[in-house]
mmCIF file of all heavy atoms in Angstrom:
data_model
loop_
_atom_site.group_PDB
_atom_site.id
_atom_site.type_symbol
_atom_site.label_atom_id
_atom_site.label_comp_id
_atom_site.label_asym_id
_atom_site.label_seq_id
_atom_site.Cartn_x
_atom_site.Cartn_y
_atom_site.Cartn_z
ATOM 1 N N ILE H 227 52.995 103.523 154.045
ATOM 2 C CA ILE H 227 52.877 102.060 154.179
ATOM 3 C C ILE H 227 52.455 101.701 155.578
ATOM 4 O O ILE H 227 51.546 100.851 155.800
ATOM 5 C CB ILE H 227 54.234 101.370 153.861
ATOM 6 C CG1 ILE H 227 54.586 101.520 152.356
ATOM 7 C CG2 ILE H 227 54.209 99.913 154.252
ATOM 8 C CD1 ILE H 227 55.953 101.065 152.009
ATOM 9 N N LYS H 228 53.030 102.379 156.556
ATOM 10 C CA LYS H 228 52.704 102.128 157.981
ATOM 11 C C LYS H 228 51.232 102.350 158.281
ATOM 12 O O LYS H 228 50.625 101.593 159.027
ATOM 13 C CB LYS H 228 53.600 103.000 158.866
ATOM 14 C CG LYS H 228 53.359 102.863 160.348
ATOM 15 C CD LYS H 228 54.314 103.781 161.144
ATOM 16 C CE LYS H 228 54.039 103.663 162.621
ATOM 17 N NZ LYS H 228 54.969 104.541 163.392
ATOM 18 N N TYR H 229 50.665 103.428 157.709
ATOM 19 C CA TYR H 229 49.265 103.829 158.030
ATOM 20 C C TYR H 229 48.297 103.496 156.908
ATOM 21 O O TYR H 229 47.167 103.922 156.953
ATOM 22 C CB TYR H 229 49.237 105.297 158.363
ATOM 23 C CG TYR H 229 49.984 105.659 159.626
ATOM 24 C CD1 TYR H 229 51.245 106.294 159.564
ATOM 25 C CD2 TYR H 229 49.488 105.297 160.855
ATOM 26 C CE1 TYR H 229 51.923 106.623 160.704
ATOM 27 C CE2 TYR H 229 50.175 105.627 162.016
ATOM 28 C CZ TYR H 229 51.385 106.303 161.935
ATOM 29 O OH TYR H 229 52.080 106.584 163.081
ATOM 30 N N ASN H 230 48.752 102.674 155.945
ATOM 31 C CA ASN H 230 47.883 102.251 154.847
ATOM 32 C C ASN H 230 47.268 103.420 154.107
ATOM 33 O O ASN H 230 46.056 103.461 153.867
ATOM 34 C CB ASN H 230 46.799 101.329 155.383
ATOM 35 C CG ASN H 230 46.111 100.554 154.272
ATOM 36 O OD1 ASN H 230 46.723 100.258 153.235
ATOM 37 N ND2 ASN H 230 44.855 100.203 154.475
ATOM 38 N N ILE H 231 48.135 104.375 153.696
ATOM 39 C CA ILE H 231 47.714 105.552 152.972
ATOM 40 C C ILE H 231 48.188 105.440 151.538
ATOM 41 O O ILE H 231 49.336 105.040 151.296
ATOM 42 C CB ILE H 231 48.268 106.860 153.592
ATOM 43 C CG1 ILE H 231 47.876 106.949 155.065
ATOM 44 C CG2 ILE H 231 47.791 108.064 152.810
ATOM 45 C CD1 ILE H 231 46.417 107.090 155.325
ATOM 46 N N LYS H 232 47.376 105.735 150.565
ATOM 47 C CA LYS H 232 47.718 105.633 149.154
ATOM 48 C C LYS H 232 48.721 106.738 148.741
ATOM 49 O O LYS H 232 48.575 107.874 149.135
ATOM 50 C CB LYS H 232 46.477 105.745 148.286
ATOM 51 C CG LYS H 232 46.718 105.513 146.798
ATOM 52 C CD LYS H 232 46.996 104.067 146.482
ATOM 53 C CE LYS H 232 47.060 103.813 145.011
ATOM 54 N NZ LYS H 232 47.397 102.407 144.682
ATOM 55 N N TRP H 233 49.769 106.359 147.994
ATOM 56 C CA TRP H 233 50.701 107.336 147.482
ATOM 57 C C TRP H 233 50.971 107.082 146.014
ATOM 58 O O TRP H 233 50.786 105.992 145.506
ATOM 59 C CB TRP H 233 51.999 107.339 148.299
ATOM 60 C CG TRP H 233 53.003 106.287 147.851
ATOM 61 C CD1 TRP H 233 53.991 106.424 146.907
ATOM 62 C CD2 TRP H 233 53.124 104.935 148.328
ATOM 63 N NE1 TRP H 233 54.676 105.268 146.766
ATOM 64 C CE2 TRP H 233 54.174 104.310 147.603
ATOM 65 C CE3 TRP H 233 52.388 104.182 149.279
ATOM 66 C CZ2 TRP H 233 54.526 102.968 147.870
ATOM 67 C CZ3 TRP H 233 52.730 102.873 149.496
ATOM 68 C CH2 TRP H 233 53.806 102.271 148.790
ATOM 69 N N PHE H 234 51.476 108.118 145.338
ATOM 70 C CA PHE H 234 51.867 107.989 143.931
ATOM 71 C C PHE H 234 53.200 108.651 143.759
ATOM 72 O O PHE H 234 53.457 109.787 144.206
ATOM 73 C CB PHE H 234 50.837 108.714 143.022
ATOM 74 C CG PHE H 234 49.479 107.999 142.995
ATOM 75 C CD1 PHE H 234 48.543 108.298 143.952
ATOM 76 C CD2 PHE H 234 49.207 107.083 142.011
ATOM 77 C CE1 PHE H 234 47.293 107.711 143.930
ATOM 78 C CE2 PHE H 234 47.966 106.449 141.997
ATOM 79 C CZ PHE H 234 47.012 106.767 142.912
ATOM 80 N N ASP H 235 54.111 107.971 143.065
ATOM 81 C CA ASP H 235 55.451 108.536 142.776
ATOM 82 C C ASP H 235 55.296 109.332 141.448
ATOM 83 O O ASP H 235 55.005 108.755 140.406
ATOM 84 C CB ASP H 235 56.511 107.441 142.617
ATOM 85 C CG ASP H 235 56.850 106.828 143.954
ATOM 86 O OD1 ASP H 235 56.969 107.575 144.935
ATOM 87 O OD2 ASP H 235 57.083 105.581 143.996
ATOM 88 N N ILE H 236 55.517 110.620 141.521
ATOM 89 C CA ILE H 236 55.394 111.495 140.378
ATOM 90 C C ILE H 236 56.796 111.704 139.802
ATOM 91 O O ILE H 236 57.540 112.580 140.256
ATOM 92 C CB ILE H 236 54.762 112.856 140.782
ATOM 93 C CG1 ILE H 236 53.499 112.615 141.590
ATOM 94 C CG2 ILE H 236 54.513 113.703 139.540
ATOM 95 C CD1 ILE H 236 52.372 111.925 140.801
ATOM 96 N N ASP H 237 57.174 110.923 138.809
ATOM 97 C CA ASP H 237 58.499 111.034 138.227
ATOM 98 C C ASP H 237 58.411 111.325 136.748
ATOM 99 O O ASP H 237 57.616 112.171 136.332
ATOM 100 C CB ASP H 237 59.291 109.760 138.527
ATOM 101 C CG ASP H 237 58.462 108.481 138.297
ATOM 102 O OD1 ASP H 237 57.635 108.493 137.384
ATOM 103 O OD2 ASP H 237 58.627 107.507 139.024
ATOM 104 N N GLU H 238 59.222 110.642 135.917
ATOM 105 C CA GLU H 238 59.217 110.911 134.488
ATOM 106 C C GLU H 238 57.868 110.687 133.841
ATOM 107 O O GLU H 238 57.524 111.318 132.828
ATOM 108 C CB GLU H 238 60.285 110.097 133.791
ATOM 109 C CG GLU H 238 61.691 110.643 133.904
ATOM 110 C CD GLU H 238 62.323 110.325 135.252
ATOM 111 O OE1 GLU H 238 61.657 109.600 136.061
ATOM 112 O OE2 GLU H 238 63.471 110.712 135.469
ATOM 113 N N GLN H 239 57.083 109.754 134.343
ATOM 114 C CA GLN H 239 55.721 109.512 133.837
ATOM 115 C C GLN H 239 54.714 110.265 134.620
ATOM 116 O O GLN H 239 53.627 109.737 134.947
ATOM 117 C CB GLN H 239 55.452 108.018 133.880
ATOM 118 C CG GLN H 239 56.346 107.196 132.961
ATOM 119 C CD GLN H 239 56.010 105.693 133.012
ATOM 120 O OE1 GLN H 239 55.822 105.123 134.105
ATOM 121 N NE2 GLN H 239 55.927 105.073 131.863
ATOM 122 N N TRP H 240 55.010 111.510 134.948
ATOM 123 C CA TRP H 240 54.152 112.251 135.893
ATOM 124 C C TRP H 240 52.767 112.430 135.414
ATOM 125 O O TRP H 240 51.817 112.430 136.220
ATOM 126 C CB TRP H 240 54.816 113.643 136.178
ATOM 127 C CG TRP H 240 54.783 114.582 135.026
ATOM 128 C CD1 TRP H 240 55.692 114.772 134.069
ATOM 129 C CD2 TRP H 240 53.719 115.539 134.771
ATOM 130 N NE1 TRP H 240 55.325 115.729 133.193
ATOM 131 C CE2 TRP H 240 54.107 116.229 133.593
ATOM 132 C CE3 TRP H 240 52.507 115.836 135.347
ATOM 133 C CZ2 TRP H 240 53.357 117.230 133.014
ATOM 134 C CZ3 TRP H 240 51.731 116.835 134.776
ATOM 135 C CH2 TRP H 240 52.132 117.513 133.624
ATOM 136 N N GLU H 241 52.528 112.577 134.081
ATOM 137 C CA GLU H 241 51.150 112.775 133.599
ATOM 138 C C GLU H 241 50.294 111.509 133.879
ATOM 139 O O GLU H 241 49.137 111.637 134.283
ATOM 140 C CB GLU H 241 51.192 113.079 132.119
ATOM 141 C CG GLU H 241 51.740 114.456 131.764
ATOM 142 C CD GLU H 241 51.538 114.785 130.295
ATOM 143 O OE1 GLU H 241 50.554 114.353 129.702
ATOM 144 O OE2 GLU H 241 52.389 115.538 129.781
ATOM 145 N N ILE H 242 50.897 110.354 133.689
ATOM 146 C CA ILE H 242 50.166 109.105 133.926
ATOM 147 C C ILE H 242 49.913 108.933 135.422
ATOM 148 O O ILE H 242 48.775 108.608 135.830
ATOM 149 C CB ILE H 242 50.972 107.904 133.393
ATOM 150 C CG1 ILE H 242 51.120 107.985 131.855
ATOM 151 C CG2 ILE H 242 50.309 106.582 133.789
ATOM 152 C CD1 ILE H 242 51.996 106.942 131.277
ATOM 153 N N LYS H 243 50.943 109.165 136.240
ATOM 154 C CA LYS H 243 50.816 108.991 137.699
ATOM 155 C C LYS H 243 49.852 110.033 138.265
ATOM 156 O O LYS H 243 49.011 109.749 139.135
ATOM 157 C CB LYS H 243 52.183 109.134 138.352
ATOM 158 C CG LYS H 243 53.196 108.162 137.852
ATOM 159 C CD LYS H 243 52.881 106.736 138.293
ATOM 160 C CE LYS H 243 53.966 105.751 137.865
ATOM 161 N NZ LYS H 243 55.243 106.020 138.492
ATOM 162 N N TRP H 244 49.954 111.277 137.775
ATOM 163 C CA TRP H 244 49.116 112.356 138.266
ATOM 164 C C TRP H 244 47.625 112.069 137.922
ATOM 165 O O TRP H 244 46.751 112.274 138.760
ATOM 166 C CB TRP H 244 49.569 113.662 137.656
ATOM 167 C CG TRP H 244 49.040 114.911 138.277
ATOM 168 C CD1 TRP H 244 49.525 115.535 139.378
ATOM 169 C CD2 TRP H 244 47.915 115.726 137.835
ATOM 170 N NE1 TRP H 244 48.777 116.679 139.638
ATOM 171 C CE2 TRP H 244 47.792 116.799 138.689
ATOM 172 C CE3 TRP H 244 47.051 115.595 136.748
ATOM 173 C CZ2 TRP H 244 46.830 117.752 138.550
ATOM 174 C CZ3 TRP H 244 46.059 116.533 136.586
ATOM 175 C CH2 TRP H 244 45.936 117.617 137.492
ATOM 176 N N THR H 245 47.368 111.574 136.699
ATOM 177 C CA THR H 245 46.029 111.215 136.325
ATOM 178 C C THR H 245 45.494 110.035 137.143
ATOM 179 O O THR H 245 44.319 110.036 137.511
ATOM 180 C CB THR H 245 45.984 110.865 134.821
ATOM 181 O OG1 THR H 245 46.437 111.982 134.048
ATOM 182 C CG2 THR H 245 44.554 110.512 134.380
ATOM 183 N N SER H 246 46.403 109.124 137.462
ATOM 184 C CA SER H 246 46.020 107.984 138.300
ATOM 185 C C SER H 246 45.604 108.436 139.680
ATOM 186 O O SER H 246 44.648 107.923 140.256
ATOM 187 C CB SER H 246 47.179 106.974 138.418
ATOM 188 O OG SER H 246 47.486 106.395 137.143
ATOM 189 N N ALA H 247 46.316 109.442 140.209
ATOM 190 C CA ALA H 247 45.979 109.979 141.541
ATOM 191 C C ALA H 247 44.610 110.650 141.496
ATOM 192 O O ALA H 247 43.830 110.485 142.406
ATOM 193 C CB ALA H 247 47.068 110.985 141.954
ATOM 194 N N TYR H 248 44.373 111.393 140.426
ATOM 195 C CA TYR H 248 43.067 112.072 140.294
ATOM 196 C C TYR H 248 41.931 111.056 140.173
ATOM 197 O O TYR H 248 40.907 111.185 140.904
ATOM 198 C CB TYR H 248 43.102 112.929 139.019
ATOM 199 C CG TYR H 248 41.774 113.503 138.640
ATOM 200 C CD1 TYR H 248 41.261 114.649 139.207
ATOM 201 C CD2 TYR H 248 40.948 112.862 137.667
ATOM 202 C CE1 TYR H 248 40.035 115.175 138.906
ATOM 203 C CE2 TYR H 248 39.722 113.396 137.309
ATOM 204 C CZ TYR H 248 39.284 114.519 137.921
ATOM 205 O OH TYR H 248 38.041 115.062 137.584
ATOM 206 N N ASN H 249 42.115 110.024 139.353
ATOM 207 C CA ASN H 249 41.086 108.996 139.217
ATOM 208 C C ASN H 249 40.857 108.237 140.496
ATOM 209 O O ASN H 249 39.700 107.902 140.826
ATOM 210 C CB ASN H 249 41.473 108.034 138.108
ATOM 211 C CG ASN H 249 41.424 108.676 136.725
ATOM 212 O OD1 ASN H 249 40.683 109.609 136.470
ATOM 213 N ND2 ASN H 249 42.188 108.137 135.785
ATOM 214 N N PHE H 250 41.917 107.974 141.234
ATOM 215 C CA PHE H 250 41.791 107.307 142.521
ATOM 216 C C PHE H 250 40.908 108.090 143.486
ATOM 217 O O PHE H 250 40.010 107.541 144.113
ATOM 218 C CB PHE H 250 43.175 107.053 143.147
ATOM 219 C CG PHE H 250 43.147 106.543 144.537
ATOM 220 C CD1 PHE H 250 42.931 105.195 144.798
ATOM 221 C CD2 PHE H 250 43.300 107.426 145.626
ATOM 222 C CE1 PHE H 250 42.868 104.736 146.109
ATOM 223 C CE2 PHE H 250 43.240 106.938 146.944
ATOM 224 C CZ PHE H 250 43.032 105.585 147.194
ATOM 225 N N ILE H 251 41.164 109.377 143.606
ATOM 226 C CA ILE H 251 40.407 110.201 144.459
ATOM 227 C C ILE H 251 38.917 110.243 144.104
ATOM 228 O O ILE H 251 38.042 110.054 144.933
ATOM 229 C CB ILE H 251 40.959 111.649 144.525
ATOM 230 C CG1 ILE H 251 42.312 111.622 145.185
ATOM 231 C CG2 ILE H 251 40.004 112.596 145.280
ATOM 232 C CD1 ILE H 251 43.049 112.961 145.108
ATOM 233 N N VAL H 252 38.641 110.476 142.798
ATOM 234 C CA VAL H 252 37.278 110.537 142.315
ATOM 235 C C VAL H 252 36.535 109.251 142.619
ATOM 236 O O VAL H 252 35.380 109.244 143.043
ATOM 237 C CB VAL H 252 37.226 110.911 140.822
ATOM 238 C CG1 VAL H 252 35.802 110.774 140.256
ATOM 239 C CG2 VAL H 252 37.750 112.330 140.589
ATOM 240 N N ASN H 253 37.179 108.131 142.372
ATOM 241 C CA ASN H 253 36.528 106.814 142.591
ATOM 242 C C ASN H 253 36.322 106.565 144.043
ATOM 243 O O ASN H 253 35.291 106.045 144.482
ATOM 244 C CB ASN H 253 37.429 105.716 141.996
ATOM 245 C CG ASN H 253 37.448 105.701 140.501
ATOM 246 O OD1 ASN H 253 36.490 106.193 139.860
ATOM 247 N ND2 ASN H 253 38.522 105.210 139.914
#
C-alpha cells in the first residue's frame, strides 16, 4: 500500500486469485 504495489491474497479462493494475478501481469 505504501509503495503502490499490486498484491493478491491467496486464500480459499486461491485458483481465482492466482488466475487474477496471472492476468494482471500479462495485461
Side-chain angles (χ1 to χ4, degrees):
I227 292 172
K228 179 179 179 179
Y229 295 106
N230 195 29
I231 305 295
K232 185 71 174 179
W233 84 89
F234 292 86
D235 288 322
I236 310 296
D237 43 36
E238 280 79 1
Q239 295 181 314
W240 70 269
E241 290 189 30
I242 296 175
K243 302 292 183 64
W244 194 82
T245 301
S246 296
Y248 171 82
N249 290 334
F250 171 81
I251 292 173
V252 171
N253 291 333

